[in-house]
Amino acid sequence: MTTYRELVQRTVACRHADLELGLSRAREQEPFVIHVSDLLDKAGIEYAVRMDKDFQTTFNLEYPITNYNTFKRAVWQTLGAYYCVCNDGDGLEIASNRPDGYAVRIVFGDVPV
């Protein structure tokens, strides 16, 4: 029979392994995320970057008072020159052109502080 402490140790080991896999993936996709960030910086777009517990990266973009669709199209063109860009509801998904599976999400609206 398994003791309570053995169950706890197994659970901790599984979570640790998941965390290590996520951290490894985060290290691998870092150059991709930095490049997307650099492209947005060059375009003069204000944004904040967030990451969830699964290491999924989201860029929150503050759009100017101008037309939302025009701004979204400008962001699409800026990033589309380098990456695959797809609509994702009210936002965009930016994916690497390589088969490595890296992707970030762009959400338009108030940039969280």
Side-chain angles (χ1 to χ4, degrees), residues 17-37:
D18 285 345
L19 186 59
E20 285 297 324
L21 285 171
L23 188 56
S24 172
R25 178 119 174 110
R27 281 190 205 107
E28 290 172 1
Q29 73 180 3
E30 183 178 16
F32 168 72
V33 173
I34 288 172
H35 189 237
V36 170
S37 181

Side-chain angles (χ1 to χ4, degrees), residues 20-82:
E20 285 297 324
L21 285 171
L23 188 56
S24 172
R25 178 119 174 110
R27 281 190 205 107
E28 290 172 1
Q29 73 180 3
E30 183 178 16
F32 168 72
V33 173
I34 288 172
H35 189 237
V36 170
S37 181
D38 289 345
L39 291 171
L40 294 173
D41 286 341
K42 268 199 228 178
I45 297 170
E46 183 182 339
Y47 63 91
V49 183
R50 299 290 183 257
M51 183 177 285
D52 66 15
K53 65 179 181 60
D54 297 320
F55 298 94
Q56 299 298 318
T57 306
T58 301
F59 286 83
N60 297 80
L61 273 60
E62 180 75 52
Y63 59 89
I65 298 172
T66 62
N67 187 320
Y68 167 77
N69 289 326
T70 304
F71 180 67
K72 186 175 179 179
R73 195 169 27 258
V75 171
W76 187 306
Q77 290 173 344
T78 299
L79 299 173
Y82 297 91

